[in-house]
Amino acid sequence: MTETKSARRRIFSGIKPSGHLTLGNYLGAVRQWVQDDQHRADALFCVVDLHALTVEHDPARVRRLTRQAATLLLASGLDPEICTLLVQSHVDEHARLSYLMECTATDGEMRRMIQYKEKSARERAGGGSVRLSLLTYPALMAADILIYGTHEVPVGEDQTQHVELARDLAQRFNQRYGPVFTVPRATNPRVSARVMDLQDPTSKMGKSHAETAGIVYLLDEPDVVRKKIMRAVTDSGSEVRYDRTEQPGVANLLDVLASCTDGKPEVLAEEFSSYGALKGATAEAVLEVLRPLQARHAELCADPSYVDGVLRAGAERARALARPRVDEAYAAVGLLPPA
């Protein structure tokens, strides 16, 4: 059975190059990949560029953001000697298995996905047409996970539904055609930073948002970072206290500060008597986190052959892991192998 092919637990997670990576991406996901996940299992981290094609896009920008994302993941501390870093489109097995997952899934399952409902509504509201791939991309996401015999998928709560679909498809495929796939499970970060938009603290800090004044990007200049945080929306009154319901703006700043300093937001709130002081401390803490990351990013950009080599080696290893399993799946559903 495929589950026994790897003695060590395997982790897979990915990030979509739909925009510049943000402080939210780093504190909410990438930092755990670096500090924890790459050390405790056989971990693969993927820039899922095929997923960036589900909406209107500029091809040159997708290529640029794909490389930038890979470089930033390395700059953040992913070690190619420890984990595998790859670009999704460099491994054909992702697309090969995606079709089998479409043949295993149902139309109803696809249309019930929350992100499809939200994104398709936004596309229609903007006068655009909805691409079929926006409906079917959860099948590709399931393929991303299943081709590697993944046991754990570290995701935020907004992606848990996609991992549940991957579980359902793996079980359904195994019941119909034989035990080919490991059934994965979603794992939420043990210490998760909840980073919200600085101008709209009820919304997540997203890398593809049209309004950028409340988003801190990992490559923002220090003056830009400081300005965005100092202009962050706070709340009525002047008392600094941690209350996500009544004071979402202040709570967001405290969450960011706590995440950057390994503190507790409730305790940190007691140290400040004004919003201005809280903003200033948060800005400095964020800059302290970004400084080494940006310096390492500049070094990597000066040596593009190194990044190329990492991605090439990552794709080779990923392909070697994925191809036997996808070939097994093709045989299981009755496809004639090539002569």
Side-chain angles (χ1 to χ4, degrees):
M1 188 173 174
T2 301
E3 284 184 65
T4 64
K5 289 180 180 177
S6 173
R8 194 178 181 203
R9 294 192 70 76
R10 183 162 292 146
I11 287 174
F12 175 89
S13 198
I15 198 159
K16 182 167 64 173
S18 56
H20 299 286
L21 298 192
T22 72
L23 181 67
N25 296 134
Y26 177 76
L27 296 178
V30 175
R31 186 173 60 172
Q32 175 169 303
W33 298 354
V34 169
Q35 296 179 352
D36 185 9
D37 293 334
Q38 69 172 336
H39 299 288
R40 69 182 179 86
D42 180 12
L44 296 97
F45 301 107
C46 186
V47 182
V48 288
D49 54 343
L50 294 176
H51 289 292
L53 310 184
T54 59
V55 295
E56 190 68 29
H57 64 277
D58 172 23
R61 185 171 187 265
V62 170
R63 277 192 294 271
R64 185 170 65 252
L65 290 177
T66 298
R67 186 175 190 83
Q68 183 186 91
T71 306
L72 280 169
L73 291 177
L74 291 171
S76 298
L78 288 186
D79 185 347
E81 297 298 320
I82 298 175
C83 67
T84 301
L85 177 62
L86 68 142
V87 172
Q88 180 189 30
S89 63
H90 293 179
V91 181
D92 293 345
E93 279 64 33
H94 287 266
R96 285 182 64 205
L97 185 58
S98 179
Y99 183 69
L100 294 195
M101 291 299 100
E102 289 181 15
C103 293
T104 307
T106 67
D107 176 75
E109 284 174 317
M110 297 292 101
R111 295 187 186 278
R112 283 195 296 271
M113 303 304 286
I114 294 170
Q115 291 207 3
Y116 169 72
K117 292 179 180 179
E118 293 176 348
K119 290 181 180 180
S120 61
R122 282 201 299 268
E123 286 291 311
R124 292 188 181 98
S129 57
V130 179
R131 299 187 180 193
L132 179 61
S133 56
L134 190 61
L135 176 65
T136 61
Y137 87 89
L140 174 58
M141 188 177 292
D144 297 338
I145 296 166
L146 298 180
I147 60 175
Y148 298 116
T150 302
H151 299 93
E152 297 180 29
V153 189
V155 290
E157 292 181 5
D158 60 332
Q159 292 292 333
T160 300
Q161 187 186 32
H162 290 99
V163 182
E164 289 302 314
L165 176 67
R167 287 177 55 84
D168 291 343
L169 296 182
Q171 291 169 336
R172 188 177 305 155
F173 189 100
N174 289 347
Q175 289 167 359
R176 289 178 179 174
Y177 307 113
V180 173
F181 297 116
T182 300
V183 179
R185 67 182 181 91
T187 57
N188 298 125
R190 277 172 282 196
V191 180
S192 176
R194 181 177 178 176
V195 182
M196 312 302 278
D197 191 295
L198 296 173
Q199 291 298 313
D200 179 10
T202 62
S203 299
K204 190 170 123 179
M205 186 180 286
K207 60 182 179 294
S208 56
H209 289 182
E211 296 296 328
T212 62
I215 302 171
V216 175
Y217 296 103
L218 296 185
L219 295 179
D220 275 346
E221 293 288 338
D223 287 347
V224 173
V225 172
R226 190 176 286 108
K227 185 180 295 184
K228 287 180 177 179
I229 294 175
M230 296 305 293
R231 292 179 177 175
V233 168
T234 49
D235 310 284
S236 60
S238 59
E239 181 186 2
V240 178
R241 59 191 177 90
Y242 187 68
D243 187 331
R244 282 182 173 174
T245 302
E246 297 297 325
Q247 290 191 310
V250 171
N252 187 36
L253 291 169
L254 288 167
D255 278 331
V256 172
L257 178 60
S259 186
C260 290
T261 60
D262 294 323
K264 294 184 177 180
E266 300 89 344
V267 175
L268 288 169
E270 299 174 2
E271 299 179 9
F272 301 98
S273 59
S274 71
Y275 294 165
L278 171 60
K279 289 179 178 181
T282 303
E284 292 308 313
V286 169
L287 290 172
E288 194 63 28
V289 166
L290 294 184
R291 191 171 292 114
L293 185 155
Q294 292 183 353
R296 179 58 177 152
H297 178 266
E299 293 174 359
L300 292 169
C301 286
D303 185 12
S305 63
Y306 173 76
V307 178
D308 289 340
V310 168
L311 295 179
R312 184 164 52 249
E316 288 173 359
R317 177 172 188 264
R319 200 175 297 118
L321 290 172
R323 183 166 292 167
R325 185 170 284 101
V326 177
D327 286 348
E328 185 179 353
Y330 268 49
V333 298
L335 298 178
L336 185 68

